[in-house]
Amino acid sequence: MTPSTRTDVVIRTYGTGQVPPLLDTIADIWADAHPELVNTPGASTDGLSAAALRRQVVGHLRHEGFTLVAAYAHGTMVGFGYAFPCTPEYWYGPTLLPDIPEHVRAGRLMGLCELAVSPSWQSQGIGSRLHAELLKAINPEWSSLLVRPDNTGGRGLYDRLGYEYAGPYRNSADGPEYDLLLLRVHPAA
């Protein structure tokens, strides 16, 4: 079955008040989708763990417009993604903000925080569908995300979706370096 004809996967959208009961499930999916991090020394101190994901999601729930989408197959969650509208100052931070073009800084921005699909359900179009639902719900002009340079599967998806490299990014001076990616969703109205 091709990804576009998959009818056994249903996407559901959740707002902030609906997310807390889902935290354990999305943390499990995240861990399954990132086995290279679960057993990597230092990953948890870099904020790359299921526990760190739970804390991250709870911290992001305060953002107006927070949206979580989840993919279900036969009643079981097999993937999720979440994002929220944000300011360029918040998303890029003071170090990278000057390097972001003015037309991007002036547009409606969606910060895509996580997108993960259980390994047995990957490469079936679910990540693309989750991404499309987030864009539909938030309706940004631009979408931006961080991806580890060694995450070739994730990077492949983001390349197919049209994201382009915007520069290196670190959450902290001694933290891991990520690739900052940027997608023009549609022009300003």
Side-chain angles (χ1 to χ4, degrees), residues 6-27:
R6 230 188 146 109
T7 59
D8 59 340
V9 174
V10 176
I11 308 293
R12 294 189 183 129
T13 303
Y14 298 94
T16 56
Q18 301 166 306
V19 172
L22 304 174
L23 285 172
D24 288 340
T25 303
I26 65 174

Side-chain angles (χ1 to χ4, degrees), residues 17-180:
Q18 301 166 306
V19 172
L22 304 174
L23 285 172
D24 288 340
T25 303
I26 65 174
D28 289 345
I29 290 171
W30 183 90
D32 287 347
H34 298 92
E36 73 284 3
L37 296 177
V38 174
N39 299 315
T40 300
S44 63
T45 59
D46 288 340
L48 302 172
S49 68
L53 174 75
R54 283 185 196 92
R55 288 189 303 274
Q56 173 185 294
V57 172
V58 168
H60 287 157
L61 288 174
R62 66 182 167 80
H63 291 279
E64 187 174 334
F66 175 100
T67 303
L68 183 133
V69 292
Y72 292 86
H74 315 288
T76 300
M77 191 187 299
V78 298
F80 77 95
Y82 85 87
F84 53 85
C86 57
T87 66
E89 293 79 11
Y90 173 84
W91 190 254
Y92 301 116
T95 304
L96 192 56
L97 186 62
D99 297 331
I100 302 299
E102 180 58 38
H103 67 281
V104 175
R105 288 186 271 158
R108 290 184 323 278
L109 176 64
M110 177 180 89
L112 176 59
C113 299
E114 293 294 337
L115 189 63
V117 177
S118 296
S120 62
W121 289 90
Q122 291 176 1
S123 300
Q124 298 181 48
I126 296 170
S128 296
R129 287 181 59 195
L130 290 166
H131 182 263
E133 287 299 315
L134 286 169
L135 293 177
K136 184 173 137 185
I138 296 175
N139 192 31
E141 292 172 44
W142 296 91
S143 178
S144 187
L145 61 90
L146 301 173
V147 64
R148 289 184 341 275
D150 64 344
N151 182 351
T152 56
R155 185 61 188 263
L157 170 64
Y158 302 133
D159 287 347
R160 287 189 303 279
L161 292 172
Y163 282 86
E164 296 180 6
Y165 180 78
Y169 183 89
R170 289 185 192 274
N171 291 335
S172 63
D174 59 346
E177 185 173 286
Y178 295 91
D179 289 341
L180 177 74

